[in-house]
Amino acid sequence: MAILVVGSVAFDALETPSGRRDRCLGGAATHFALAASYFTPVRVIAVVGDDFGPDEEAVFARRSIDTRGIEHVPGKSFFWKGSYMNSLNEAQTLRTDLNVFQSFSPKIPPEYQDSEYLFLANIDPVLQEDVRRKMPRVKLVCGDTMNYWIKDHAENLSRVLKVLDVLLINDAEVKMIARETNLVRAAGKVLDMGPKALVVKHGEYGATAFFCERSFGEGCSVTVPFRAPALPLAEVVDPTGAGDSFAGGFFGYVASQPALTPAVFRRAMFYGSVMGSFAVERFGTERLAQLDPSEIEERFALFRQLSHLD
Amino acid sequence: MAILVVGSVAFDALETPSGRRDRCLGGAATHFALAASYFTPVRVIAVVGDDFGPDEEAVFARRSIDTRGIEHVPGKSFFWKGSYMNSLNEAQTLRTDLNVFQSFSPKIPPEYQDSEYLFLANIDPVLQEDVRRKMPRVKLVCGDTMNYWIKDHAENLSRVLKVLDVLLINDAEVKMIARETNLVRAAGKVLDMGPKALVVKHGEYGATAFFCERSFGEGCSVTVPFRAPALPLAEVVDPTGAGDSFAGGFFGYVASQPALTPAVFRRAMFYGSVMGSFAVERFGTERLAQLDPSEIEERFALFRQLSHLD
């Protein structure tokens, strides 16, 4: 079943202990779409400038990603420059040029209307809510956000949380939304704000899913969580997009299955970690753009070996 | 099979967001021994002062821990005062009085000579090496250390690493020994220094075991690691001794089994995490001193549910 993703398609300049790149295809929607494309058809809504040409288009085309929703406008694409020289766990932003992304107003092509799955990548929560409203018949909605929206746009964000099935964010973001330092209590508070499930990404330590059980008219009681490991890697070349690739593997697998059962959710967490582990092995989209499906299954088996008793 | 543990038996004063205690029974050997006692007979070598009385003795006796190797000398026991008010992930040391521990010289009672398993808790590597030498017939040796010995006693520590089967330390310690920021590469370097396996404790994110395969005369090639989760807890009352309790659960389970197979190693990692999760639920030894074996098995099952696909 098709996933519709709304988010950024961008160019990144990167420096990491493994090297540097002046211009990589990047953006949350790009990483998400590539990762998800190995599991299910993907459709993208984004905005790019004149600098997005045939080479970039080809990266999507090779993975049969539907780009009819990528709007081309005069100007330059979103540009981000980041450094991981101090720590591979946290990007240091050296420059952000929003460019054409500044006036991004997502438009949903008629051909996308029948999408059953919706991923709201990290953009202004007002836009996230707007897209969600325009897609009333989707079966499942996942979303991401970041510290900027949590801090300065809390009210808008809270409206998005109400319409999300699964929120995928990192430890610091969960604790920031909940204003609570304990992860379990923070997860409970965030689940009380709307999402049915919360996937907390721990970077090199994997990810934990928390689930909410609601009785009618009551708050959320958190049930047994599920933790997927990350793969210990001898070299992390470029962490950019690891979280979006996790989300793509997670949601791509979910969308490829007939129903979101607890067992499917667990496997989806593993596929999320699998795709995240590939993403960081090369710069930008270099690794995710050209995986062989057998590599994905081999790594999934490796994750099982890494974490299972028998 | 009996485990012999050499390490500190102490009193702790603690403050955490959950409350404070002016005087708790503590020390690495205490936490280790209690955790391991649920799996196998345990014998302790330590030194205490006049302040270690019948109440403290009773904590060990109730768990049938052999304390004939705890030497009583005039003076006060090792005392440590720590605070977790800033972060539950890192203790802030407010006071350390070595007291009788300053001149600790481990003596092995004749009754302990047939111990098949040896745990060298975090003490001066010179003493660790000495005890190891005096117990030439043990089947398996595990050990711990800390930043102080890594930084200022590196040469002594390197001699201990050569005679260890399993080293259990945390992320920062592995990276400090290896002078390497990537965990996998750091693990490889540490394994090259001697231990056959390295268990890296990640606190709230669990623990990862790295294994070394050596061909004759060659360095170590690291094989597929194994990662055990930690249990997400809504309240961590007191993290003191969590790592030692992990080690006790890990090594206690190993010693209870006929051989250390890969499957036993994996289960041991889970039992380590299980005992660590209990340890932090109350102050000092309050929780570990009075567990019901059924609680341990229930929590083990919960860890499986937390981490397994099916």
Side-chain angles (χ1 to χ4, degrees):
Chain A
M1 294 297 146
I3 297 181
L4 172 57
V5 50
V6 188
S8 59
V9 170
F11 288 103
D12 293 339
L14 305 160
E15 54 180 40
T16 84
S18 302
R20 51 185 299 152
R21 291 287 186 279
D22 290 332
R23 190 173 181 270
C24 276
L25 179 60
T30 305
H31 294 290
F32 177 92
L34 287 170
S37 73
Y38 291 90
F39 302 91
T40 204
V42 183
R43 299 155 171 182
V44 183
I45 292 181
V47 63
V48 294
D50 312 313
D51 46 3
F52 184 94
D55 287 355
E56 289 73 35
E57 185 61 54
V59 173
F60 291 90
R62 275 195 297 265
R63 295 294 321 143
S64 306
I65 296 165
D66 191 331
T67 56
R68 285 176 292 180
I70 299 187
E71 193 182 354
H72 293 250
V73 304
K76 282 188 157 189
S77 300
F78 186 178
F79 175 78
W80 178 76
K81 183 173 182 174
S83 172
Y84 298 91
M85 296 310 281
N86 292 332
S87 163
L88 282 162
N89 295 317
E90 201 174 0
Q92 189 191 347
T93 292
L94 301 178
R95 189 167 163 180
T96 305
D97 298 337
L98 290 175
N99 297 329
V100 299
F101 197 69
Q102 185 133 35
S103 47
F104 181 35
S105 168
K107 291 164 200 69
I108 302 166
E111 309 91 311
Y112 283 13
Q113 283 291 345
D114 62 350
S115 309
E116 291 201 314
Y117 294 84
L118 175 61
F119 186 73
L120 304 167
N122 167 36
I123 52 171
D124 187 335
V126 169
L127 301 183
Q128 290 180 316
E129 200 198 355
D130 177 54
V131 172
R132 174 66 185 94
R133 203 171 26 227
K134 287 175 181 156
M135 297 290 293
R137 285 167 305 169
V138 290
K139 229 169 108 175
L140 209 70
V141 189
C142 289
D144 187 9
T145 190
M146 70 181 288
N147 50 8
Y148 174 73
W149 308 115
I150 297 168
K151 201 161 155 274
D152 297 334
H153 299 252
E155 215 178 294
N156 294 342
L157 180 61
S158 76
R159 285 201 304 276
V160 176
L161 295 184
K162 286 193 179 64
V163 296
L164 281 187
D165 294 296
V166 185
L167 174 65
L168 292 104
I169 50 182
N170 69 32
D171 280 83
E173 290 158 355
V174 177
K175 292 173 181 177
M176 197 187 237
I177 294 178
R179 297 177 191 205
E180 163 64 54
T181 56
N182 175 282
L183 181 63
V184 177
R185 289 203 300 267
K189 285 189 180 180
V190 170
L191 288 172
D192 264 338
M193 296 170 81
K196 297 186 188 68
L198 169 67
V199 175
V200 186
K201 295 170 286 182
H202 312 307
E204 65 173 314
Y205 299 117
T208 307
F210 295 91
F211 307 97
C212 173
E213 265 185 2
R214 279 195 190 81
S215 310
F216 183 73
E218 282 181 27
C220 170
S221 78
V222 178
T223 60
V224 180
F226 181 70
R227 183 163 283 184
L231 186 66
L233 290 167
E235 189 181 4
V236 172
V237 171
D238 171 19
T240 313
D244 300 309
S245 304
F246 179 101
F250 170 83
F251 207 29
Y253 180 73
V254 167
S256 77
Q257 298 298 303
L260 181 47
T261 63
V264 165
F265 203 107
R266 286 164 178 250
R267 292 179 68 89
M269 292 281 290
F270 269 55
Y271 279 113
S273 270
V274 163
M275 301 312 282
S277 76
F278 283 123
V280 304
E281 287 183 343
R282 301 267 189 289
F283 276 98
T285 60
E286 289 169 18
R287 186 78 171 102
L288 273 195
Q290 31 203 342
L291 279 169
D292 189 274
S294 69
E295 292 180 286
I296 296 174
E297 289 316 308
E298 274 164 30
R299 189 154 293 185
F300 186 91
L302 187 63
F303 268 77
R304 189 188 274 273
Q305 214 184 326
L306 175 70
S307 59
H308 279 48
L309 291 169
D310 339 273
Chain B
M1 295 298 142
I3 297 180
L4 171 57
V5 51
V6 188
S8 59
V9 170
F11 288 104
D12 293 339
L14 305 160
E15 54 180 41
T16 85
S18 302
R20 51 185 299 152
R21 291 286 186 281
D22 290 332
R23 189 174 183 270
C24 278
L25 179 59
T30 306
H31 294 290
F32 176 92
L34 287 170
S37 73
Y38 291 91
F39 301 92
T40 206
V42 183
R43 300 157 170 182
V44 183
I45 292 180
V47 61
V48 295
D50 312 313
D51 47 2
F52 184 93
D55 287 355
E56 288 73 34
E57 186 60 54
V59 173
F60 291 89
R62 275 196 297 267
R63 294 296 320 143
S64 307
I65 296 165
D66 192 331
T67 56
R68 285 176 291 181
I70 299 187
E71 192 183 354
H72 292 251
V73 303
K76 283 188 156 189
S77 302
F78 186 178
F79 175 77
W80 178 75
K81 184 173 183 176
S83 171
Y84 299 91
M85 297 309 281
N86 292 332
S87 163
L88 282 163
N89 295 319
E90 201 173 359
Q92 189 191 347
T93 292
L94 301 178
R95 190 168 162 177
T96 305
D97 299 337
L98 290 175
N99 298 329
V100 300
F101 197 70
Q102 185 131 33
S103 46
F104 180 35
S105 168
K107 291 163 200 66
I108 302 166
E111 310 90 309
Y112 284 12
Q113 284 291 346
D114 63 349
S115 307
E116 292 201 312
Y117 294 84
L118 175 61
F119 186 73
L120 304 168
N122 165 36
I123 52 172
D124 186 336
V126 170
L127 301 182
Q128 291 180 315
E129 200 198 355
D130 177 55
V131 172
R132 174 66 185 93
R133 203 172 24 227
K134 287 176 182 155
M135 297 290 294
R137 285 166 307 170
V138 290
K139 229 169 108 175
L140 209 71
V141 189
C142 289
D144 188 8
T145 191
M146 70 182 291
N147 50 10
Y148 174 71
W149 309 115
I150 298 168
K151 203 161 153 277
D152 297 334
H153 299 251
E155 215 177 294
N156 295 341
L157 180 60
S158 77
R159 284 200 304 276
V160 176
L161 295 185
K162 286 194 180 63
V163 296
L164 281 186
D165 293 296
V166 185
L167 174 66
L168 292 105
I169 50 180
N170 68 32
D171 280 81
E173 290 157 355
V174 177
K175 292 173 181 178
M176 198 186 240
I177 294 178
R179 298 177 192 207
E180 163 64 56
T181 56
N182 175 281
L183 181 63
V184 177
R185 289 202 301 264
K189 286 189 179 179
V190 170
L191 288 172
D192 264 339
M193 296 169 81
K196 296 185 189 69
L198 169 67
V199 175
V200 186
K201 296 171 285 181
H202 312 308
E204 65 172 315
Y205 299 118
T208 306
F210 295 91
F211 307 97
C212 175
E213 266 185 4
R214 276 195 192 83
S215 309
F216 182 73
E218 283 182 24
C220 169
S221 79
V222 179
T223 60
V224 180
F226 181 70
R227 183 164 281 185
L231 186 65
L233 290 167
E235 190 180 3
V236 172
V237 171
D238 171 19
T240 314
D244 300 309
S245 305
F246 180 100
F250 170 83
F251 207 29
Y253 179 73
V254 167
S256 76
Q257 299 297 304
L260 180 47
T261 63
V264 165
F265 203 108
R266 287 163 178 250
R267 293 179 67 89
M269 292 281 291
F270 269 55
Y271 279 114
S273 268
V274 162
M275 301 313 280
S277 77
F278 282 124
V280 304
E281 287 184 343
R282 301 266 189 289
F283 276 98
T285 61
E286 289 169 19
R287 187 79 172 101
L288 273 196
Q290 31 202 340
L291 280 169
D292 189 274
S294 69
E295 291 180 287
I296 296 173
E297 290 314 309
E298 275 164 30
R299 188 152 295 183
F300 186 91
L302 187 62
F303 268 78
R304 191 187 271 274
Q305 215 184 326
L306 175 71
S307 58
H308 278 47
L309 291 168
D310 342 273

